[in-house]
Amino acid sequence: VQLQASGGGLVQAGGSLRLSCAASGGIFSNNIMGWYRQAPGMERELVADAVADSPTSGHTRYADALKGRFTISRDYANHTVYLQMNSLKPEDTAVYYCNANLEVWDGSTWHAQEVWGQGTLVTVSS
């Protein structure tokens, strides 16, 4: 299973960006899909995630500091998660990573697997 992320780039402070991440390959169910970020010299941190409560719906969780500016949404049918980032600040500059915790079918059993996307750079200029 692979995660393909897109949507990063350069934006001025106060602007917006939307990140997308799609899971593909194999037979799987997505328990949790979300976004982490890692700024230079900092540890990777959770931005937000979307937790499946059923195959078609779930709930979301956010880092407290980002509530209100960032919105995560998930297309359960297409195994895709989005991150809408508004009112961006220079301190939001980081590499953003898509993450998924899956149940993957290997032909005989389901097993848990964590997958990371390749990372997409978001740069916010002042």
Side-chain angles (χ1 to χ4, degrees), residues 1-101:
V1 179
Q2 297 179 337
L3 300 178
Q4 182 65 47
S6 62
L10 174 65
V11 64
Q12 289 187 332
S16 298
L17 281 175
R18 188 186 193 218
L19 307 182
S20 301
C21 174
S24 63
I27 300 173
F28 58 92
S29 65
N30 294 17
N31 293 346
I32 304 174
M33 293 189 75
W35 293 93
Y36 287 72
R37 69 182 185 182
Q38 187 167 21
M42 304 294 286
E43 293 186 355
R44 193 173 297 189
E45 62 177 359
L46 174 69
V47 175
D49 62 18
V51 183
D53 298 322
S54 75
T56 59
S57 65
H59 63 277
T60 57
R61 302 181 299 191
Y62 292 89
D64 287 342
L66 300 177
K67 288 180 182 177
R69 293 194 300 121
F70 289 16
T71 302
I72 190 169
S73 59
R74 182 170 170 178
D75 180 343
Y76 285 83
N78 293 302
H79 307 295
T80 302
V81 67
Y82 304 94
L83 184 69
Q84 178 66 42
M85 304 183 292
N86 297 328
S87 302
L88 283 162
K89 304 175 181 180
E91 51 263 43
D92 295 317
T93 295
V95 177
Y96 284 71
Y97 294 93
C98 182
N99 172 271
N101 285 274

